[in-house]
């Protein structure tokens, strides 16, 4: 039971670090010092699974924002006559935001995949270590009998 409490405390600690990024925009939070520190301190499978969930959520939000910008860009292109001289500026600005959000979504998804792979590797290593320990215990007990 104490092991479970320790894991829970670690996950809460990671989520606390991630929440500390809240005042800035979600896009800027990808490169925040607090998140970098959290990633560097991630050691367990649970740590990497929490980071995977965070980056997948962030990727989804960035894809959603990119889609909003895509719809807005279509609107500006179809109804440019409503915006006069500022139509091209609006289109350029929207296009830049669209690219920014798409890039952030790809980066977040890449980070999520990376942390998912690390978590699965840690799980395999843990399973392998447990099975080797069990084999050694079985051999030791059979020698004693």
């Amino acid at each position: 039971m104490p092991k479970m409490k320790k894991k829970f405390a670690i996950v809460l600690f990671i989520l606390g670090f991630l929440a500390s990024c809240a005042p800035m925009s979600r896009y800027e939070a990808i490169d925040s010092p607090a998140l970098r520190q959290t990633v560097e301190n991630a050691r367990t499978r649970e740590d990497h699974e929490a980071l995977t969930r965070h980056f997948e959520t962030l990727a989804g939000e960035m894809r959603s924002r990119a889609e909003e910008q895509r719809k807005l860009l279509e609107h500006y292109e179809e109804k440019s006559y409503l915006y006069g001289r500022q139509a091209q500026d609006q289109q350029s600005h929207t296009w830049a935001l669209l690219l920014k959000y798409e890039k952030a979504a790809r980066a977040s998804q890449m980070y999520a995949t990376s942390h998912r792979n690390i978590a699965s590797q840690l799980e395999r290593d843990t399973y392998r270590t447990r099975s080797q320990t069990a084999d050694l215990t079985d051999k030791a007990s059979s020698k004693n009998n």
Side-chain angles (χ1 to χ4, degrees):
M1 194 64 172
K3 203 174 200 183
M4 185 65 137
K5 287 182 181 178
K6 184 178 179 182
K7 288 180 182 180
F8 184 71
I10 290 172
V11 170
L12 282 178
F13 180 73
I14 288 173
L15 293 176
F17 258 131
L18 297 176
S20 69
C21 300
M24 62 180 79
S25 77
R26 299 280 287 161
Y27 173 73
E28 293 166 348
I30 292 174
D31 293 325
S32 73
L35 184 58
R36 265 188 254 127
Q37 187 68 36
T38 303
V39 169
E40 290 172 7
N41 290 336
R43 299 282 182 256
T44 65
R45 180 178 57 87
E46 291 81 11
D47 295 345
H48 289 285
E49 286 175 349
L51 287 167
T52 297
R53 286 188 299 275
H54 170 73
F55 284 119
E56 285 176 340
T57 301
L58 185 59
E61 289 177 15
M62 292 300 112
R63 280 191 293 272
S64 173
R65 288 185 182 184
E67 186 58 34
E68 289 173 11
Q69 294 301 315
R70 185 174 287 107
K71 289 177 183 176
L72 191 57
L73 181 61
E74 287 175 9
H75 171 75
Y76 288 145
E77 289 172 345
E78 291 173 0
K79 310 274 185 180
S80 61
Y81 59 88
L82 295 175
Y83 300 96
R85 294 179 182 207
Q86 292 146 358
Q88 273 191 319
D89 291 341
Q90 294 288 358
Q91 289 174 7
S92 297
H93 179 71
T94 304
W95 180 253
L97 284 175
L98 172 66
L99 294 178
K100 175 182 172 181
Y101 291 138
E102 286 178 342
K103 181 180 177 184
R106 284 191 305 273
S108 296
Q109 193 59 51
M110 181 188 70
Y111 294 146
T113 301
S114 173
H115 286 286
R116 184 180 302 106
N117 291 340
I118 292 169
S120 66
Q121 182 64 40
L122 287 171
E123 186 174 11
R124 280 192 300 269
D125 291 349
T126 301
Y127 176 75
R128 194 173 304 136
T129 302
R130 285 182 185 163
S131 65
Q132 289 172 350
T133 304
D135 289 345
L136 291 174
T137 305
D138 291 342
K139 287 179 184 178
S141 65
S142 66
K143 285 183 181 179
N144 290 336
N145 290 333

